[in-house]
Structures are given as C-alpha cells and as structure tokens.
Amino acid sequence: CFAIHQAGSDGESIGNCPFSQRLFMILWLKGVVFNVTTVDLKRKPADLHNLAPGTHPPFLTFNGEVRTDVNKIEEFLEEMLTPPKYPKLAVKNRESNTAGNDIFAKFSAYVKNTKPEANAGLEKVLLKALRKLDSFLNSPLPEEIDADSMEEEKCSTRKYLDGNELTLADCNLLPKLHVVKVVSKKYRNFDIPVELTGVWRYLQNAYARDEFINTCAADKEIELAYQDVARRLAK
C-alpha cells in the first residue's frame, strides 16, 4: 500500500492536510504496513502529474489503481481490510458519523473573514457548533445507559465519538478539530472554552494516541498553511 501526502514547509516533513491524516490514521488503526511519500506541491514531480493529473494529494495506489477521492478511499479500505485480519472501524451509532460535521465550515468562515464587525457573530456561530459537539460527547451512548438503573442518566466518560475505541468518524473529525484549535488561537486568539469538557476530553484522549500524534503535522506547519488563508481583520 502506497500513500502520497503533501510535504511541509521544508519540502520533506508532513505538511498540513487533515484529509491525508484521516487516511493515515485509518491505515494505522487497521494495522497495515504502508509507505508514505511526501510531495512538495511547489515542485511537483512529473510522475505525480502522470499518476493523477489535475489533483492534489492524498492519493492511494493499490494494485496499480489510483484512488483520489478521500471518502471513496475510506470506503475502499473498510471494504477491503476486514476482520478477522483487520479490525472493523465503522461506528455502531449512526449519530457518531455526523457529530461535529459542521465545525470545519464554520471555522473556515470565521478565519477567512476580514470585517471586524462580523467577527463576533462568526465566532458565536463556531462556538455554537463546538457546544453541540460537546453536548454529544457528554451525552451517554445507548450502551452506556443502564436500563435497569433508577438513577438519572450520568455524563458520558467515553474517550471518542462512538465509545472508547477510535473509529472512521474520529479519523475524519479529529484532524479537522485540531486544525480549528491551532489556527483559531494563532490568528484570532480564540481558545476552545475550558467548560467544553467533552471536547477537551476528546482532544486529550486523541493526543495520547500514536495513531493521531504520529500522523499529525506540527503546529508550525498548520499555522504556515493558514498564513495566507486566515485573513487579518481590517483596522
């Protein structure tokens, strides 16, 4: 298995690309041995143009076939790499697939905005999306609820979206959520509020996993990637 990833500012290290990280996490969780080739997009080699003309990494080549759509690559990996040899990574609860799926779009609108008068409103919209995710992470999943208990529903203590194991949903959301955290702080001085305990528990559990930290670009690379995207607010 052979994966191609955008290179960082030095032309070699892992660059900022939450879509590539999503696929690397899936391959790592599946226990697949894979080669990663980083590509400097400013000096894209000719054989890469031939491999997938007009598209950017990530790509996946398997048995001579090139796949470029991240969602299709994920589906392919889940269909091809199955138990008993490879773990199943699909979620058990359908809601886990859509949790937090609006955060990245809200974040993009927030950091690309140049109008000071719109900043507070856009920040509020992002915060609302983060609060929604926090509520989901702190609400017990069906398997956490004891049907025979007379006690009121407790707060969930699970590590990830769908339980205590990483799933495809986490591979999709966590890289984006980390970018939101890093870039919002750097360019808008916005911190994810400490009272969003579910979101922070989720991030801290991710940071304890090799599958996440070893596939993640350095904060400096993420900040550099957004240098021209994150707009300064006009004076």
Side-chain angles (χ1 to χ4, degrees):
C1 189
F2 176 58
I4 296 177
H5 190 305
Q6 180 177 327
S9 55
D10 60 3
E12 290 178 10
S13 61
I14 289 181
N16 171 61
C17 179
F19 307 105
S20 294
Q21 189 184 0
R22 172 183 175 184
L23 298 181
F24 290 166
M25 285 180 71
I26 293 168
L27 290 168
W28 194 314
L29 287 164
K30 289 279 188 185
V32 174
V33 176
F34 60 99
N35 296 320
V36 175
T37 301
T38 55
V39 173
D40 185 348
L41 293 184
K42 296 189 196 78
R43 298 186 291 274
K44 203 189 287 189
D47 54 355
L48 192 62
H49 278 296
N50 301 334
L51 190 66
T55 58
H56 286 305
F59 315 133
L60 186 81
T61 65
F62 185 82
N63 285 348
E65 194 178 338
V66 183
R67 293 166 194 274
T68 57
D69 181 286
V70 180
N71 292 325
K72 293 275 182 5
I73 294 172
E74 182 188 272
E75 282 171 26
F76 170 75
L77 293 173
E78 187 68 355
E79 281 169 19
M80 290 290 292
L81 307 172
T82 54
K85 191 174 180 184
Y86 304 102
K88 190 169 180 280
L89 297 178
V91 298
K92 295 187 194 80
N93 302 283
R94 204 173 52 189
E95 297 78 14
S96 302
N97 270 330
T98 53
N101 66 352
D102 56 343
I103 289 173
F104 204 66
K106 306 283 193 282
F107 150 78
S108 294
Y110 174 53
V111 296
K112 288 176 183 177
N113 167 55
T114 55
K115 297 172 184 164
E117 67 274 15
N119 188 62
L122 290 166
E123 186 174 296
K124 200 172 170 183
V125 169
L126 172 60
L127 200 48
K128 187 180 175 186
L130 287 165
R131 286 192 196 285
K132 193 171 144 197
L133 174 63
D134 187 68
S135 173
F136 176 78
L137 288 164
N138 280 332
S139 302
L141 293 171
E143 55 267 33
E144 292 181 280
I145 299 165
D146 182 356
D148 301 322
S149 173
M150 298 300 287
E151 289 178 33
E152 224 174 284
E153 275 186 27
K154 62 184 189 311
C155 183
S156 176
T157 56
R158 70 185 185 277
K159 292 180 177 181
Y160 308 112
L161 289 172
D162 203 53
N164 288 326
E165 297 300 329
L166 288 164
T167 61
L168 294 174
D170 300 300
C171 296
N172 183 16
L173 181 60
L174 277 167
K176 294 175 184 171
L177 192 59
H178 180 67
V179 168
V180 170
K181 183 184 83 123
V182 171
V183 175
S184 297
K185 176 64 180 171
K186 171 73 176 175
Y187 294 105
R188 289 293 180 269
N189 199 27
F190 170 83
D191 287 302
I192 296 173
V194 288
E195 64 266 24
L196 298 189
T197 54
V199 173
W200 278 109
R201 184 180 73 243
Y202 184 44
L203 283 169
Q204 295 303 340
N205 281 315
Y207 298 154
R209 294 289 294 255
D210 285 345
E211 297 93 338
F212 183 81
I213 58 164
N214 290 328
T215 56
C216 189
D219 287 4
K220 178 176 70 86
E221 291 293 345
I222 297 171
E223 290 169 359
L224 274 172
Y226 274 84
Q227 205 168 27
D228 299 325
V229 179
R231 302 293 179 197
R232 289 185 183 280
L233 294 174
K235 291 280 188 271

